[in-house]
Amino acid sequence: MTETITNAIAVRDNGPGALVAQHRSDIELVMPSHMQKRVGAWIRTTQGLLRRDEKLLKAAQNDLGQFMSVLLDAARLGLEPGTEQYYLVPRWNKKKRCTEVTGVRGYQGEIELMYRAGAVSSVIVEVVYSNDRFDYRPGRDERPLHNIDWDAEDRGQLRLAYAYAVMKDGATSKVVVLNKGHIAKAMAKSDSTGQDWSPWKTDTEAMWLKTAAHRLAKWVPTSAEYIREQLRAQADVAAEQQPTALVAQLPQPIAIDEDEAIEAEFVDEEAEQ
């Protein structure tokens, strides 16, 4: 029934939506195993985004190959496209002189990849407004102290963004703190800066959070690299245990008392005479 509905939607779309359904097997192939059971819902969500957003649909139609490449990247990471995990953004391509779809990993996506690695127990990513109280001194403080007046009607202007993780052994990762200058440099590198549809304009706070989370990802294991390290560790343990197991199968030497050995030697010599 689910498959029938998906196909019906694809036929009605007769465009990028149909292409997504046609490449279901490719999408499922690159997805993490825990996401593969939800591939149908994942596809329907993407098709729904195209129907609701004319600019996104037009950008996808302009370059179907680029559109599918972005979707496969989201699928490979196991993130939901069109959410704060993974933005689908129409971007102007100067060479092609048209818009195309680009993928932007959101702050929730960055956090999801950290949790999925299995090395952290919690990830904290927050923004600080000018009326908040924020105190952190590297070398003195393990974690920032951030106090918010929740009764205040206006917390002021965005001032800082910070992020850190608490590892499963209780240790605190590096604390990343970004000010307006750091955010401005990150924003300047974005191709969407200045465009009306840019997430820097439509969801400014989320982009501050995303920038802080992205910087933290350099100091905290993400799913791909953590899995590789785990596999290497397992291989090293197996390599160390293999010789031990082989030795255990060999006949064990018999312990002989030194005096008995000498006495036996004399008996043998007398026997030979």
Side-chain angles (χ1 to χ4, degrees):
M1 181 64 180
T2 300
E3 186 67 25
T4 303
I5 294 173
T6 302
N7 291 337
I9 293 172
V11 170
R12 186 169 69 246
D13 287 343
N14 194 28
L19 186 67
V20 177
Q22 292 168 9
H23 285 273
R24 176 185 176 121
S25 59
D26 296 323
I27 293 171
E28 188 174 5
L29 182 64
V30 300
M31 275 184 167
S33 57
H34 76 280
M35 290 284 294
Q36 291 174 354
K37 293 181 180 180
R38 301 182 56 247
V39 63
W42 193 95
I43 290 173
R44 290 192 297 275
T45 298
T46 305
Q47 292 171 332
L49 292 171
L50 294 169
R51 291 195 299 273
R52 293 191 301 270
D53 191 331
E54 292 185 2
K55 291 182 179 179
L56 181 64
L57 175 61
K58 178 63 176 176
Q61 290 172 334
N62 288 338
D63 193 332
L64 293 174
Q66 168 67 13
F67 174 59
M68 283 306 306
S69 176
V70 168
L71 289 187
L72 289 172
D73 180 59
R76 178 181 60 81
L77 295 171
L79 302 178
E80 296 282 351
T83 68
E84 289 185 338
Q85 285 191 352
Y86 196 96
Y87 294 99
L88 296 180
V89 182
R91 180 186 64 177
W92 178 258
N93 188 312
K94 294 180 180 179
K95 294 182 179 180
K96 299 177 183 177
R97 299 188 63 81
C98 67
T99 57
E100 64 182 11
V101 178
T102 187
V104 179
R105 194 184 305 176
Y107 81 97
Q108 289 187 357
E110 299 279 6
I111 293 173
E112 169 66 17
L113 294 178
M114 293 181 205
Y115 275 120
R116 199 183 299 163
V120 304
S121 61
S122 62
V123 180
I124 293 82
V125 184
E126 294 288 348
V127 290
V128 180
Y129 285 84
S130 55
N131 293 336
D132 296 348
R133 179 184 173 186
F134 181 82
D135 190 18
Y136 174 66
R137 293 185 185 179
R140 184 198 70 175
D141 304 325
E142 183 181 12
R143 303 169 189 175
L145 176 65
H146 184 195
N147 290 326
I148 302 171
D149 182 1
W150 296 108
D151 291 326
E153 295 183 3
D154 183 9
R155 290 173 60 190
Q157 302 295 316
L158 281 168
R159 176 189 162 206
L160 301 170
Y162 68 93
Y164 65 90
V166 179
M167 314 306 288
K168 285 193 172 179
D169 61 2
T172 302
S173 72
K174 178 180 177 63
V175 178
V176 174
V177 181
L178 305 177
N179 59 26
K180 287 185 177 180
H182 297 125
I183 299 296
K185 289 180 180 179
M187 186 169 59
K189 295 178 181 179
S190 173
D191 294 334
S192 68
T193 303
Q195 303 295 329
D196 293 337
W197 41 262
S198 171
W200 285 102
K201 287 189 175 182
T202 61
D203 206 349
T204 305
E205 180 179 306
M207 291 305 291
W208 280 54
L209 292 167
K210 185 259 181 179
T211 305
H214 185 68
R215 296 287 179 88
L216 177 63
K218 299 177 181 179
W219 303 95
V220 177
T222 56
S223 57
E225 68 181 65
Y226 188 72
I227 290 172
R228 284 197 296 269
E229 289 298 325
Q230 291 290 88
L231 291 175
R232 289 195 194 100
Q234 291 173 7
D236 291 342
V237 171
E240 291 176 0
Q241 291 179 345
Q242 187 173 1
T244 303
L246 180 60
V247 170
Q249 297 174 4
L250 296 176
Q252 295 299 311
I254 301 174
I256 301 177
D257 184 270
E258 185 175 351
D259 293 335
E260 291 180 355
I262 296 174
E263 182 180 355
E265 182 177 356
F266 285 138
V267 170
D268 290 341
E269 286 180 354
E270 292 177 355
E272 290 178 355
Q273 293 174 355

